[in-house]
Amino acid sequence: MRRRELLMGTAALLSLSACATGSKFKRYSGPEVTFVVVNKGARRMHLLHNESLLKSYDIHLGFAPVGHKQFEGDGKTPEGLYRIDRRNPNSDFHLSLGISYPNVNDYAAAKAVGKSAGGDIFIHGQKSPFRNDDPDWTWGCIAVTNPEMEEIYAMVQNDTLIQLNA
């Protein structure tokens, strides 16, 4: 009987400790993020509520960060005004928020040079939080640390405007 009580107590303790581990899904109850601004040159992303700065993050970009994304595989991060248009809680890169690239102009520009515009441009975390990534390692996305991505994922909702500047 004593052994059974000990096993049951250990199982209950393990169950409770599993609940104590942090979830990647955080809650946010502050002001609404109405605008995201990415400054590629400074490698910074800012979350705003109207004109008030809520939070800023250091970012990593595509492996060829200078200039506007022109076609699939060019390693560039887009520039211009887009929207957050989707969420991926099961991303290979921890969590991710989709950016509405390519738009009509992006499709037309890529088609004019006989290429695909590509797509799947995201704000995302790291594939491996233990890897020390080069400063610009993505294929055109915007990357932050996994804890930062958890905050951003909670704060930024679909349909939020995002301005990507040179």
Side-chain angles (χ1 to χ4, degrees):
M1 186 60 128
R2 185 85 171 129
R3 183 175 179 199
R4 183 170 184 221
E5 289 173 11
L6 181 61
L7 286 173
M8 294 299 283
T10 302
L13 185 61
L14 288 173
S15 295
L16 286 173
S17 67
C19 292
T21 60
S23 169
K24 66 182 179 180
F25 301 106
K26 306 297 181 205
R27 292 187 183 268
Y28 175 70
S29 59
E32 175 189 9
V33 174
T34 57
F35 204 62
V36 177
V37 177
V38 173
N39 186 330
K40 291 171 47 176
R43 303 297 191 280
R44 296 285 288 168
M45 179 171 63
H46 310 285
L47 307 185
L48 303 166
H49 173 74
N50 300 322
E51 283 110 38
S52 298
L53 178 65
L54 298 174
K55 195 87 187 221
S56 292
Y57 302 91
D58 290 327
I59 59 172
H60 299 277
L61 299 171
F63 62 82
V66 177
H68 176 58
K69 182 164 196 62
Q70 298 174 335
F71 51 84
E72 184 174 26
D74 67 4
K76 295 181 179 182
T77 302
E79 295 174 2
L81 185 63
Y82 297 91
R83 290 191 178 275
I84 300 301
D85 66 351
R86 60 201 181 280
R87 309 169 80 70
N88 185 354
N90 301 311
S91 170
D92 287 342
F93 297 92
H94 193 58
L95 293 168
S96 62
L97 296 173
I99 297 172
S100 62
Y101 173 89
N103 61 28
V104 178
N105 295 332
D106 298 321
Y107 278 119
K111 186 176 179 180
V113 294
K115 304 224 179 201
S116 166
D120 287 341
I121 301 296
F122 289 87
I123 301 168
H124 62 67
Q126 303 159 281
K127 191 165 192 140
S128 171
F130 305 108
R131 192 173 108 195
N132 190 10
D133 292 314
D134 292 328
D136 295 313
W137 58 271
T138 77
W139 286 86
C141 295
I142 299 157
V144 294
T145 68
N146 289 352
E148 291 169 336
M149 190 61 222
E150 291 171 4
E151 278 184 357
I152 295 163
Y153 195 86
M155 292 174 76
V156 178
Q157 300 305 310
N158 284 3
D159 214 34
T160 301
L161 288 172
I162 179 168
Q163 175 69 47
L164 298 112
N165 300 319

